[in-house]
Amino acid sequence: MHSETPYEITTLPLQPTPTHGAILPTEIPPGVQLVTLPGGMRTLAYTQPPTTPHPQPVPAVRPVPTWAKTTALLTPTIGGGIAAAGVGLSYAAPGLIAMTHALWSAVALIAAGAIALPLMLTISRTRTGKPPAPAPQITQNITATGLFGKATGTINH
């Protein structure tokens, strides 16, 4: 089978002429360009302009808050004070231990005195042979009228 092509494939000339129905380069609408394809053929095509990346906005620099500055300045001072207190306690530890022993001894002496003094007074009264003096008897009568009334009273010996 022999195949013959009754027509011939041609490409558009570089400068199209109005007689062949092609448009002039000045008549090309915006966004359409004459492009060359990889095979060498030239044709009209819609193209998009290259987009430039939008620069990212730089965040505004905020000042450091006053409380943060104060805290940052106080932190080493407080840490140094705690360290100095630790060193001082390590030097004072033997004296503090001795002081606690002395304080416990004082507490024991006070407790012994609180118990021994009344016993000694009781023993001394019983040795003298005198009976203890009777406590005086006082009677008091108080009367009041109403919830918030003025109270009056009498004392009888």
Side-chain angles (χ1 to χ4, degrees):
M1 199 175 207
H2 184 21
S3 69
E4 289 189 28
T5 308
Y7 53 87
E8 183 179 355
I9 298 175
T10 59
T11 59
L12 292 174
L14 291 177
Q15 293 292 335
T17 59
T19 58
H20 290 94
I23 60 173
L24 295 173
T26 56
E27 296 175 347
I28 296 176
V32 176
Q33 290 182 351
L34 185 63
V35 295
T36 304
L37 298 176
M41 188 172 156
R42 295 182 64 122
T43 182
L44 293 176
Y46 287 101
T47 58
Q48 294 183 0
T51 58
T52 58
H54 296 290
Q56 294 294 329
V58 178
V61 177
R62 294 185 298 169
V64 177
T66 305
W67 65 267
K69 290 179 186 177
T70 305
T71 303
L73 291 173
L74 285 177
T75 301
T77 305
I78 292 171
I82 291 172
V87 169
L89 283 175
S90 70
Y91 283 121
L96 291 175
I97 292 171
M99 192 181 304
T100 57
H101 290 302
L103 287 175
W104 279 115
S105 299
V107 168
L109 182 64
I110 292 170
I115 293 171
L117 186 63
L119 285 176
M120 291 176 72
L121 289 176
T122 304
I123 291 172
S124 68
R125 284 188 191 157
T126 56
R127 285 191 181 176
T128 58
K130 296 180 186 176
Q137 293 290 328
I138 298 174
T139 306
Q140 185 175 11
N141 296 323
I142 300 173
T143 58
T145 57
L147 182 62
F148 296 106
K150 185 176 178 182
T152 58
T154 58
I155 297 176
N156 300 323
H157 292 279

